[in-house]
């Protein structure tokens, strides 16, 4: 009887112990899951649209406007004197489509405004789409500069007006009461005015350290001149204006820099606008690793993972 009592007691103790272990295990699972699905948290962004191409004309074509510039990183300002924007909230399992705008084509040397740049954006369910407007083309002869993220520069004195920039994204192009032409607007400054002897410079771009080092982007294109003094491109990828003896230059790719303008001599085509770029920065622990479009990925940038899209793609948080 004593042996049987010991066995029953042992069994009772065992039954008490097993549920306790089960509860402990269940609590651990509940504790792990109580935070819900992985939350990808906050992502800072830099969204730059494609820039406008430079204008061409019988006299002088204006510089292309830089692509629109929107930023949220580290209190850095957006273009056009806008303040830093609120970072994006990305939720686990949601796919965010990233569109990178192309640069606008350069105008011809007869009379043509440069092509407008394409918009860049980030879009996804639950996120208010973040769109930067493509830059305006530089003015051709007797044609106004294009409106855009930053406006295209005015052409010679026969052009009606310069292009206007978009609020909190970029600046207006310069104006030209006299030939030569003016520079395209940049994210950081209005395009320079043309003078009697030289083309206007492109408006300066704006710097960001979202990739870990300071880089200036979205400069306006320089205005052309019919002598040897075309306007230089604005800092941040703006192309130089041209003249009859030397061609204009394109805006730098993936900076949203405007194309340089040209005049009616040779070469006859103005500079094209630079393609835009979209950059996302999030905590290393939040990065899911799921992308399309082959963005470059840099981890450990002060505890952040930085995705740089130079072509259209996506990120799934």
């Amino acid at each position: 009887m004593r042996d049987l009592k010991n066995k029953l007691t042992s069994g009772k103790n065992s039954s008490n112990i097993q549920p306790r272990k089960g509860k402990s295990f269940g609590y651990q699972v509940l504790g792990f899951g109580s935070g819900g699905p992985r939350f990808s948290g906050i992502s800072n962004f830099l969204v730059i649209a494609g820039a406008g191409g430079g204008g061409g004309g019988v006299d002088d074509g204006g510089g292309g406007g830089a692509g629109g510039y929107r930023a949220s990183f580290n209190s850095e300002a957006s273009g056009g004197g806008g303040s830093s924007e609120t970072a994006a909230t990305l939720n686990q399992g949601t796919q965010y489509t990233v569109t990178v705008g192309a640069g606008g084509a350069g105008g011809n040397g007869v009379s043509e405004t440069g092509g407008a740049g394409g918009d860049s954006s980030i879009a996804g369910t639950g996120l208010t789409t973040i769109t930067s407007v493509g830059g305006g083309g530089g003015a051709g002869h007797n044609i106004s500069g294009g409106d855009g993220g930053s406006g295209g520069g005015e052409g010679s004195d026969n052009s009606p007006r310069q292009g206007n920039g978009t609020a909190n994204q970029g600046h207006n192009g310069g104006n030209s009461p006299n030939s030569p032409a003016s520079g395209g607007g940049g994210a950081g400054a209005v395009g320079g005015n043309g003078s009697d002897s030289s083309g206007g410079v492109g408006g300066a771009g704006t710097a960001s350290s979202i990739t870990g080092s300071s880089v200036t982007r979205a400069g306006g294109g320089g205005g052309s001149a019919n002598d040897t003094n075309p306007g230089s491109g604005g800092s941040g990828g703006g192309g130089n204006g041209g003249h009859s003896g030397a061609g204009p230059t394109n805006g730098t790719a993936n900076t949203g820099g405007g194309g340089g303008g040209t005049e009616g001599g040779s070469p006859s085509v103005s500079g094209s606008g630079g393609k835009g770029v979209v950059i996302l920065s999030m905590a290393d622990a939040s990065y899911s690793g799921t992308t399309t479009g082959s963005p470059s990925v840099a981890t450990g940038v002060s505890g952040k993972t930085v995705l740089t899209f130079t072509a259209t793609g996506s990120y799934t948080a």
Side-chain angles (χ1 to χ4, degrees):
M1 294 295 291
R2 181 175 298 174
D3 291 341
L4 178 60
K5 182 178 180 180
N6 288 339
K7 289 179 181 180
L8 290 173
T9 303
S10 176
K12 183 178 180 181
N13 289 341
S14 297
S15 65
N16 288 339
I17 292 171
Q18 292 303 321
R20 189 176 296 121
K21 287 185 177 179
K23 290 178 182 177
S24 176
F25 177 76
Y27 175 80
Q28 290 171 358
V29 172
L30 179 61
F32 177 80
S34 63
R38 180 179 58 81
F39 179 66
S40 293
I42 301 300
S43 177
N44 281 287
F45 60 82
L46 178 62
V47 179
I48 302 177
V58 175
D59 289 323
D60 297 300
Y69 184 109
R70 296 183 63 178
S72 70
F73 178 72
N74 200 28
S75 299
E76 293 172 351
S78 290
S83 59
S84 179
E85 301 190 44
T86 301
T89 299
L90 306 183
N91 293 302
Q92 189 267 344
T94 300
Q95 183 181 73
Y96 298 90
T97 300
V98 174
T99 301
V100 178
N108 65 40
V110 178
S111 181
E112 187 175 64
T113 296
D119 295 352
S120 291
S121 63
I122 306 169
T125 303
L127 175 70
T128 300
T129 301
I130 300 163
T131 301
S132 291
V133 179
H141 179 68
N142 204 29
I143 304 173
S144 295
D147 299 335
S150 282
E154 187 178 1
S156 64
D157 52 358
N158 291 317
S159 294
R161 66 169 178 82
Q162 75 275 27
N164 296 317
T166 299
N168 301 321
Q169 294 194 25
H171 289 87
N172 295 348
N175 60 53
S176 294
N178 301 293
S179 181
S182 62
V190 174
N193 297 336
S195 68
D196 289 335
S197 59
S198 61
V201 299
T206 296
S208 174
S209 298
I210 191 169
T211 59
S213 59
S214 181
V215 179
T216 299
R217 302 175 180 86
S224 64
N226 55 15
D227 52 23
T228 57
N229 296 303
S232 58
S235 60
N240 297 327
H243 59 84
S244 58
T249 59
N250 300 330
T252 303
N254 303 126
T255 67
T262 194
E263 52 92 30
S266 178
S268 60
V269 179
S270 57
S272 60
K275 191 176 185 179
V277 66
V278 174
I279 302 174
L280 300 176
S281 173
M282 65 202 74
D284 286 331
S286 297
Y287 176 54
S288 72
T290 304
T291 65
T292 66
S294 301
S296 67
V297 180
T299 58
V301 182
S302 298
K304 306 289 185 182
T305 294
V306 179
L307 309 182
T308 301
F309 288 85
T310 58
T312 296
S314 69
Y315 170 64
T316 300

